[in-house]
Amino acid sequence: MAGAAADSSRMGITLQDYDQVIALSQANINETLRRHFSKLGEIDPLASFKAKVPLSSISAQVLAPTVELVDKKGADGALYLIRLGEGTYSTWVPGANDEPVVVKVPTNGWELAFAVDFAFEPAKKIPDDIKRQVPLPGGYSVHQLMINFGDFTRILQIDPKRSKFPIADSSKDKAKVDPASMEAALELFSNTYLKQVKEKGDCNVLGFAIQVDQAPKDRDATFLPLASKVQIVGYRPDGKAESFRQDHPYNAFCFTEMTNAEPRRPMPSTEITYSGNWFYESIGGTMAISRRLIWDSFMVKEIKNAHVKAVELSNDFFAKIFSDQFRGKSWYIDDSKPSFSEMCGRYMGHKGWSNLAYTATYQNGIPKHLNNSDGLIHYWFCPRSTVHTLAMPEYRKGGIQIEQDVELTWEMGGEFFASKSINVYLKNSLKLTLATTVSFNAVSSNGSLHATSKTQITRKDFGKSDPQIGGLGNNLPASWTKQLIKWGEEHNESYRKAENTLADGVDTIGGVFANVADNLKYVLNNQNKFIFPGNGTFDMKDPIFSDKGDLLVGLTYRR
């Protein structure tokens, strides 16, 4: 494989309205077939190629079969190659004086190619490792992906362009061997062999897909596959159909899926086409999770939780400042606590595709009053809170950046000494910025993905005003002025009291993002419960966001 995980060609991949795609290289498919074949014993009928017809016979070692993917519009499929090792093809030909003689042709290096396609069918036998992965017995159906040879009601035809069964120049009476008769005999031999492959049932299984019949109610219900199909995407670097090559290592075998993400959508009727290279370096597999799933469905919900916590933080801050004057009150920045959806504010949508912005402005426009027997007739305050949350992925990297701006202002004042002409007024502000990074990467020990988060304060600006005194003006006694100033300064100092509340609130928001990271990790690692390409489990590595906002994860098979 060439290129890197963030190579421009790979970053240009589009999912074309599919929710999720798992792409495997031709080499990975052939590794699956090799693994099946390696389990056969020496005396297994599939380990040798033996057959007879009138005038011809063959006895040869069989090597692991291979496939070559074929990407044709409306006719995706593959060539299945029976590969022969040491052995002999024998046939009778006319010799001297038309006496029949036997010509023996070595079979080493022969390849017999047949056109096949792929089909999902209910699994007859589910491997134990897959049974252990299924989270809800009875809630899923398991289908196996098969190489489909057909029903053998007709003789499968050898593909003459791709097959190789040369007669060595050293073979006696080579010129008397009829190629057409030889091909017909090999087709009969091959059909007998392929029937055995089909009857055995597990040597032509390319993987398993689990589909949802009854969704669980826990977080296993994220990104559940409702429908799957297989498609071939040929490597076409210039976008032209004629540039496709059957033997190219970048040809992709794709499981395409639609999931339970709302709004649910049917399987697209159009085939997925080449948009970029699915593979890189030595990695011959990619799981692509669409932006619709990973961002619009999952991250939007998670960011809402963190945004609401920031709104609650602003209220807790005010509660600490004013609790001495308004005991028993729990919500300060509005008349009553808004609903969750109201606190989310207005969804600003995407700028490009990646920005999530929630802006909520709460202003209590009605001064809160309190009578006080110590000369204070009225005390009032008017708090205002604006919370803005912006989240975006790190393009071509495995991470998400979230920035939250919390802007608070509060005005407060009082009328004193039984005279409404004497008052004091203060206006303070706090600007707070929280920065969070959610990072995920591969853990080599078990092939899963790990996610972490870090939240910190990057700005904290406190704007303090001096008390403004009005009413009697210059006629205000000095002792009164001193007392009013002291009152204002005490309220400014209440900000200091609230700093611990602020720190606790930041820790709470950090905990929310830690939960976001944990949920993201779970969702990504949970995906291998539903697709088992290659009849086995795979390790995940190099998670990065593409230029289109889809999450691409490299796949390598666990040996």
Side-chain angles (χ1 to χ4, degrees), residues 420-454:
K420 293 185 180 181
S421 60
I422 304 173
N423 58 71
V424 64
Y425 169 80
L426 292 170
K427 182 176 181 179
N428 294 342
S429 65
L430 173 64
K431 294 181 179 180
L432 182 71
T433 299
L434 307 179
T436 299
T437 300
V438 176
S439 302
F440 38 94
N441 50 46
V443 179
S444 58
S445 60
N446 60 5
S448 62
L449 296 181
H450 185 60
T452 59
S453 69
K454 181 179 180 181

Side-chain angles (χ1 to χ4, degrees), residues 324-327 367-380 413-416 418 420:
D324 290 342
Q325 285 76 29
F326 296 89
R327 293 183 180 89
K368 306 297 182 181
H369 296 278
L370 179 72
N371 290 325
N372 189 295
S373 58
D374 297 328
L376 177 63
I377 302 302
H378 290 114
Y379 168 76
W380 60 268
E415 296 173 343
F416 290 85
K420 293 185 180 181

Side-chain angles (χ1 to χ4, degrees), residues 18 32 92 115 158 187 222 263 313 338 361 372 413 433 453 458 478 499 510 514 531 533 539:
Y18 290 92
T32 297
W92 290 90
I158 285 178
E187 285 177 346
T222 307
L313 169 62
T361 299
N372 189 295
T433 299
S453 69
T458 58
E499 283 195 302
I531 286 288
D539 295 340

Side-chain angles (χ1 to χ4, degrees), residues 150-399:
D151 58 7
F152 293 101
T153 56
R154 59 178 178 81
I155 299 297
L156 298 182
Q157 303 296 306
I158 285 178
D159 185 312
K161 291 183 179 180
R162 181 60 187 85
S163 297
K164 296 189 299 184
F165 42 92
I167 304 174
D169 292 336
S170 60
S171 296
K172 184 178 179 182
D173 297 318
K174 170 185 175 182
K176 295 184 178 181
V177 176
D178 178 19
S181 297
M182 182 177 180
E183 183 176 318
L186 289 175
E187 285 177 346
L188 290 173
F189 298 156
S190 299
N191 275 253
T192 299
Y193 181 81
L194 293 176
K195 283 181 181 178
Q196 293 177 314
V197 173
K198 183 176 180 179
E199 289 168 0
K200 190 170 182 65
D202 54 0
C203 286
N204 60 331
V205 176
L206 296 181
F208 292 83
I210 300 174
Q211 296 183 26
V212 177
D213 298 324
Q214 175 188 345
K217 296 182 179 180
D218 59 14
R219 58 180 179 171
D220 281 336
T222 307
F223 309 162
L224 294 178
L226 301 181
S228 304
K229 70 178 180 180
V230 168
Q231 301 181 58
I232 307 301
V233 180
Y235 179 65
R236 292 181 171 87
D238 56 5
K240 296 179 181 178
E242 57 268 23
S243 66
F244 170 74
R245 287 183 13 226
Q246 287 179 188
D247 60 346
H248 202 288
Y250 292 171
N251 294 338
F253 180 94
C254 297
F255 289 77
T256 52
E257 289 188 326
M258 301 306 291
T259 70
N260 63 331
E262 299 292 347
R264 296 187 181 183
R265 302 179 304 161
M267 181 75 73
S269 58
T270 56
E271 295 181 357
I272 192 168
T273 58
Y274 178 83
S275 57
N277 185 13
W278 289 91
F279 313 121
Y280 65 99
E281 296 173 354
S282 62
I283 307 303
T286 289
M287 176 169 64
I289 302 175
S290 70
R291 156 184 147 184
R292 183 177 99 92
L293 296 188
I294 197 67
W295 198 262
D296 299 340
S297 179
F298 179 79
M299 283 305 299
V300 166
K301 179 178 67 175
E302 298 290 335
I303 296 301
K304 282 182 179 180
N305 293 331
H307 179 82
V308 167
K309 287 299 180 184
V311 175
E312 292 175 343
L313 169 62
S314 64
N315 180 75
D316 293 343
F317 180 82
F318 287 134
K320 189 65 177 178
I321 290 178
F322 301 119
S323 60
D324 290 342
Q325 285 76 29
F326 296 89
R327 293 183 180 89
K329 183 173 176 57
S330 61
W331 196 256
Y332 285 79
I333 54 180
D334 212 334
D335 290 332
S336 60
K337 185 174 183 177
S339 66
F340 183 93
S341 61
E342 289 171 334
M343 278 194 281
C344 287
R346 185 166 65 93
Y347 175 40
M348 304 297 287
H350 297 3
K351 181 181 180 182
W353 74 269
S354 59
N355 297 340
L356 285 175
Y358 294 97
T359 300
T361 299
Y362 298 106
Q363 179 175 1
N364 190 323
I366 303 175
K368 306 297 182 181
H369 296 278
L370 179 72
N371 290 325
N372 189 295
S373 58
D374 297 328
L376 177 63
I377 302 302
H378 290 114
Y379 168 76
W380 60 268
F381 75 98
C382 187
R384 175 188 174 96
S385 168
T386 301
V387 179
H388 180 83
T389 301
L390 174 68
M392 59 191 307
E394 297 180 300
Y395 293 103
R396 304 194 178 196
K397 295 181 181 179

Side-chain angles (χ1 to χ4, degrees), residues 416-551:
F416 290 85
F417 309 115
S419 172
K420 293 185 180 181
S421 60
I422 304 173
N423 58 71
V424 64
Y425 169 80
L426 292 170
K427 182 176 181 179
N428 294 342
S429 65
L430 173 64
K431 294 181 179 180
L432 182 71
T433 299
L434 307 179
T436 299
T437 300
V438 176
S439 302
F440 38 94
N441 50 46
V443 179
S444 58
S445 60
N446 60 5
S448 62
L449 296 181
H450 185 60
T452 59
S453 69
K454 181 179 180 181
T455 300
Q456 57 186 342
I457 297 174
T458 58
R459 181 184 67 160
K460 185 171 66 172
D461 296 331
F462 175 55
K464 182 181 72 170
S465 68
D466 293 327
Q468 300 176 29
I469 301 171
L472 296 180
N474 294 331
N475 297 322
L476 190 67
S479 59
W480 287 16
T481 300
K482 183 177 180 180
Q483 186 172 353
L484 292 173
I485 291 174
K486 181 181 178 182
W487 177 86
E489 289 176 344
E490 287 175 351
H491 279 277
N492 279 336
E493 284 299 314
S494 65
Y495 164 76
R496 310 302 174 194
K497 300 177 185 178
E499 283 195 302
N500 288 337
T501 298
L502 195 65
D504 292 342
V506 171
D507 289 343
T508 298
I509 292 174
V512 172
F513 283 115
N515 191 56
V516 170
D518 182 63
N519 288 341
L520 183 62
K521 176 178 67 176
Y522 182 86
V523 165
L524 294 178
N525 290 324
N526 197 47
Q527 291 309 94
N528 66 358
K529 292 183 178 180
F530 302 104
I531 286 288
F532 297 86
N535 190 16
T537 56
F538 52 82
D539 295 340
M540 296 186 283
K541 63 183 302 181
D542 303 324
I544 55 176
F545 283 100
S546 75
D547 294 345
K548 303 296 183 182
D550 304 318
L551 182 64

Side-chain angles (χ1 to χ4, degrees), residues 393-411:
E394 297 180 300
Y395 293 103
R396 304 194 178 196
K397 295 181 181 179
I400 298 168
Q401 296 290 340
I402 304 103
E403 185 173 283
Q404 294 181 284
D405 289 314
V406 181
E407 296 189 10
L408 309 177
T409 61
W410 60 100
E411 299 172 81

